[in-house]
Amino acid sequence: MLEMRNISIDFPGVAALKNVNFHVEKGKIHALIGANGAGKSTLMKVLSGAYDHYRGDIYFHGKEAAIRSPKEAKQLGIQMVYQEVDTALIPYLTVGENIMLEKMIHGMGKKQLVNWKSLHRQAADILASLHVAISTHKRVDELTLAEKQMVLIARAISDQCKCLILDEPTAPLSQTETEELFRLIRLLKEKEVAVIFISHRLPELFAICEEITVMRNGELVMKEETSCTSPNDVITQMLGKTLDEQYPPHQASIGGTVLEVKGLSDAGIVKNLNIQVKKGEIVGIAGLVGAGKTEICQTLFGASPQTAGEMIVHGKKVNIASPSDAVRNGIVLVPEERRKGGMVVSESVTTNLTVSNMKRFSKFFSLIDFKKEKREAENMVQRLGIVTPSTETKVANLSGGNQQKVVIGKWLMGEADIYIFDEPTKGVDVGAKREIFGLITELAKQGKGVIYASSELADILGMTNRVYVVYDGEVVKEMETGSTNEAEILYYSTGGR
């Protein structure tokens, strides 16, 4: 159905794609995978019309297709659901308006009245076909991350979709929601829709996809039936080498308590939180999607108002009413949604690395020592292995894994004692995950207190010393990681007592 021939594209200082040949048959579920920066998302942005300065040819049903804009791609039935959901939705519009947005813009003539009742009925029918129970009258900025993802998928299939591209679609979804998504994908397959599935979660790819294409350094290096290959083979092709042990060894030298939280609550989901973190310790916060892990992290960082309880840092009670209060008291957060809350995407790598530590580069109260700022940014890029053409490159142009390293790097420049990581490996490849795990382990070795919040139970078991299991905004169990397993954590995560 779809063929891309000799696709190449360049960005300043980077050849992102080099003569890539890629094709997909109708009614097939095709996995597209590669390390961060391999070019898979770039290739799909070419196909979906987001990039128009590529070289090469695209054929649709055997006919050459001129795809130089998203509108032209959508006219052919090519729809893409991007990984960063908040950049694709309009927060102040309703669910129904967001789902039917394309039809409102392109499907109506000038000066035509909107039949709001019909619009919401059509949107509700689409959501019902997905078995998603969200009111179409609810504003998008009131939704959870998982709900926003389902709204985007509903919008994509609201038109005559012939090729659906899903970029890390399961990253914000719970297991139940993921199973519903897979049900939908199989339904689309029966209707002969081609589905291109981008993900770093190999078990999912092998469960749902029939074919797999692997990219590395802007080139296609492997294409196989999933039944004819294995996860280890795919990882080797992705990285160009075999992967070392995923979780770095962590011989904990645990000291005194750096953070103690007593009876902490927020205005929403967090209830009566009691936790403590010691020097050199990695403490896990485990739970399913929507359990309250992110809200706990935000409350500890002052990004969500505290309504009760107290926080004690180094034995001294502190008042954390804002993120600036948290930073002053040595508490920093690497948030789950890095593009929304962790960096300024339109600014350079240098700016993002130094923006939280400007006092270090100031002289005479207001003047900035730009040479020192650039020098330290370059040192941090080298230390963390951030792949970028230069420190002046916009962060928006980096891969997800390298963006995450920038978000972590800005806090490494400061003097924090307590690091909070909320889903730090979300949307990054296995190689970048290993590097991020190494950074977190190194912080613990330096005597920092680390909070590691994740719904990936294997990562919780591989990285932490102790774990608090969260259900419905409340800690329901505390365990030593070495004496538990995934089944026990999952039992308490689902409300077991």
Side-chain angles (χ1 to χ4, degrees), residues 259-273 295-313 317-323 325-326 329 331 420:
L259 173 67
E260 187 173 6
V261 179
K262 298 180 179 180
L264 194 67
S265 301
D266 72 354
I269 192 172
V270 181
K271 299 185 284 283
N272 193 34
L273 181 68
E295 289 79 3
I296 287 173
C297 294
Q298 290 175 340
T299 304
L300 293 175
F301 189 57
S304 181
Q306 303 171 7
T307 58
E310 60 183 23
M311 293 177 61
I312 301 167
V313 177
K317 184 177 176 180
V318 296
N319 179 31
I320 308 294
S322 68
D325 288 339
N329 285 282
I331 303 172
I420 305 171

Side-chain angles (χ1 to χ4, degrees), residues 36-37 83-84 171 200 333-345 349 352-353 380-381 384-388 394-412 419-429 431-440 443 451-454 459:
N36 291 113
Q83 177 182 351
E84 304 294 345
H200 293 300
L333 168 68
V334 176
E336 178 182 14
E337 297 181 71
R338 54 179 172 264
R339 291 178 68 94
K340 183 180 179 182
M343 60 190 181
V344 186
V345 292
V349 172
N352 275 275
L353 285 171
M380 187 59 68
V381 165
L384 301 186
I386 299 170
V387 180
T388 177
K394 287 186 178 180
V395 169
N397 295 330
L398 302 187
S399 68
N402 287 299
Q403 288 178 348
Q404 190 71 314
K405 290 180 187 178
V406 170
V407 176
I408 296 171
K410 77 177 180 185
W411 296 127
L412 297 182
Y419 287 79
I420 305 171
F421 292 89
D422 185 9
E423 301 284 2
T425 61
K426 176 181 168 183
V428 304
D429 66 77
K433 277 182 80 167
R434 178 63 172 78
E435 293 175 343
I436 291 170
F437 289 154
L439 290 172
I440 293 171
L443 288 171
I451 294 175
Y452 187 101
S454 179
D459 294 348

Side-chain angles (χ1 to χ4, degrees), residues 204-223:
E204 291 181 353
L205 296 182
F206 278 82
I208 191 72
C209 300
E210 300 154 278
E211 296 178 324
I212 186 164
T213 291
V214 181
M215 295 186 68
R216 185 172 73 240
N217 297 330
E219 299 178 296
L220 192 151
V221 295
M222 173 183 170
K223 182 176 180 182

Side-chain angles (χ1 to χ4, degrees), residues 357-418:
N357 301 279
M358 291 310 297
K359 286 184 179 180
R360 292 182 57 179
F361 311 108
S362 301
K363 53 184 181 181
F364 307 118
F365 300 102
S366 59
L367 297 177
I368 297 173
D369 186 340
F370 291 109
K371 287 185 178 180
K372 181 180 179 183
E373 181 190 27
K374 184 176 182 181
R375 184 171 62 251
E376 296 218 15
E378 289 173 344
N379 289 340
M380 187 59 68
V381 165
Q382 186 174 11
R383 175 183 167 187
L384 301 186
I386 299 170
V387 180
T388 177
S390 100
T391 56
E392 298 311 308
T393 299
K394 287 186 178 180
V395 169
N397 295 330
L398 302 187
S399 68
N402 287 299
Q403 288 178 348
Q404 190 71 314
K405 290 180 187 178
V406 170
V407 176
I408 296 171
K410 77 177 180 185
W411 296 127
L412 297 182
M413 281 192 172
E415 296 299 326
D417 293 320
I418 302 154

Side-chain angles (χ1 to χ4, degrees), residues 22 50 69 78 85 103 141 168 180 193 238 253 262 283 309 348 373 390:
F22 177 78
S69 70
I78 300 170
V85 296
K103 289 187 177 180
D141 57 7
E168 295 285 352
E180 281 298 315
V193 174
M238 283 173 57
S253 178
K262 298 180 179 180
V283 175
S348 68
E373 181 190 27
S390 100

